[in-house]
Amino acid sequence: MIDLYASPTPNVLKVRIMLEEVGLPYRLLPINVWKGDQFTDAFKALNPNSKVPVIVDADAEGGPCPVFESAAILIYLAEKTGRFLPAAGRARTQVLQWLLFQAANQGPASGQLVHFQRYAGPGNDYSLSRYKTEVKRLYDVLEGRLSGTPYLAGEDYSIADMAALPWVLLFDRMFSEAIPFLKLDGDGGTALARWVSRCRQRPAVERAIALHAELKSDMPTATEDDRDRFFGRGAYAAR
Ligand SMILES: N[C@@H](CCC(=O)N[C@@H](CS)C(=O)NCC(=O)O)C(=O)O
């Protein structure tokens, strides 16, 4: 059994897609990041960086194995099951390259765009523009790649696709009215939109998306102090 420490967020959805794809039994343990569950000693023993997702694989060789960072979790599950990551050679390098592109670029820039578009409020135009521009640049990189191959790593669907898909879906749903380039315009449109449709034809992807949508955000019940702690501002800002 795998325990998945979770909140209703894109980084967790990546792992859920993989778990649904490979069919390993798992159980969800909700973490209320707005109330600070991620800062407890028990959680920090699993992830000293205080973020979800985290998994604990109870059936790992040598005893229960905790893994944090969504890309590391995807690699762990791929190696455990022998699926969605070739064992060696160029094909493996391609998957790891696009997986790390996601983890080092699309993920962080998208997180900052959410922050400045949704939470930071007035007076942050420079930062909003900076992250919008960076996400647009990354969309162009994805568009260029997917114009030439059906999936990010080439001919085959892989953990790199599972990593990149959730942010693209979230942005289409959440911000495409305010930021038009984030809109997915269906089968006739961009290579990115066609890739999304291709991924969504997989029953495991649709299942994971539907299950994940049942997880409700704790944000509406967060107090101003909870928000300050979460964003590292006010009394929680570094001095
Ligand atoms: N690079 C990390 C990012 C994880 C991350 O940012 N998780 C967010 C939710 S999507 C979180 O736990 N935030 C809590 C916090 O920042 O205190 C990964 O890919 O796993």
Side-chain angles (χ1 to χ4, degrees):
M1 171 67 75
I2 291 185
D3 283 345
L4 170 60
Y5 291 82
S7 64
T9 52
N11 289 309
V12 176
L13 178 56
K14 300 171 186 177
V15 176
R16 240 166 151 185
I17 292 174
M18 180 62 169
L19 286 166
E20 291 295 326
E21 287 283 6
V22 296
L24 286 173
Y26 70 98
R27 156 177 93 149
L28 212 74
L29 300 172
I31 291 293
N32 184 339
V33 292
W34 295 96
K35 285 287 173 211
D37 290 356
Q38 71 275 36
F39 301 118
T40 61
D41 290 344
F43 189 83
K44 286 206 294 204
L46 301 175
N47 181 1
N49 195 33
S50 294
K51 290 184 196 295
V52 288
V54 172
I55 62 162
V56 179
D57 179 2
D59 308 317
E61 250 184 71
C65 179
V67 189
F68 62 87
E69 280 296 325
S70 55
I73 296 171
L74 292 174
I75 294 170
Y76 176 86
L77 294 172
E79 290 183 337
K80 182 180 171 81
T81 57
R83 302 193 60 197
F84 304 112
L85 172 64
R90 258 173 217 238
R92 181 182 176 86
T93 303
Q94 286 294 318
V95 173
L96 293 177
Q97 170 183 279
W98 285 100
L99 179 67
L100 293 181
F101 162 83
Q102 193 290 322
N105 298 274
Q106 186 211 19
S110 299
Q112 295 301 329
L113 180 53
V114 170
H115 183 78
F116 288 105
Q117 175 70 23
R118 189 172 208 194
Y119 298 110
N124 288 287
D125 293 354
Y126 173 89
S127 309
L128 175 58
S129 167
R130 176 170 162 78
Y131 289 110
K132 203 188 293 181
T133 303
E134 176 62 358
V135 169
K136 170 75 171 72
R137 190 187 69 77
L138 295 168
Y139 266 52
D140 290 345
V141 174
L142 289 170
E143 182 64 18
R145 173 63 177 168
L146 292 166
S147 301
T149 56
Y151 296 106
L152 282 174
E155 290 303 311
D156 297 322
Y157 172 74
S158 74
I159 53 174
D161 302 292
M162 299 180 208
L165 183 66
W167 279 109
V168 172
L169 292 177
L170 180 79
F171 278 167
D172 178 52
R173 205 178 67 233
M174 195 187 256
F175 291 149
S176 59
E177 234 166 76
I179 308 176
F181 76 81
L182 297 173
K183 180 149 191 61
L184 293 169
D185 48 6
D187 271 359
T190 59
L192 187 73
R194 288 193 295 277
W195 165 78
V196 168
S197 305
R198 214 170 287 132
C199 293
R200 294 199 68 165
Q201 277 160 21
R202 303 183 65 86
V205 172
E206 282 309 88
R207 221 165 36 240
I209 292 171
L211 286 169
H212 208 53
E214 289 170 14
L215 251 187
K216 293 296 166 230
S217 170
D218 295 301
M219 191 187 61
T221 60
T223 64
E224 207 41 45
D225 186 61
D226 290 335
R227 286 165 191 251
D228 283 353
R229 181 180 52 236
F230 184 78
F231 295 128
R233 66 187 186 194
Y236 300 88
R239 310 267 176 237

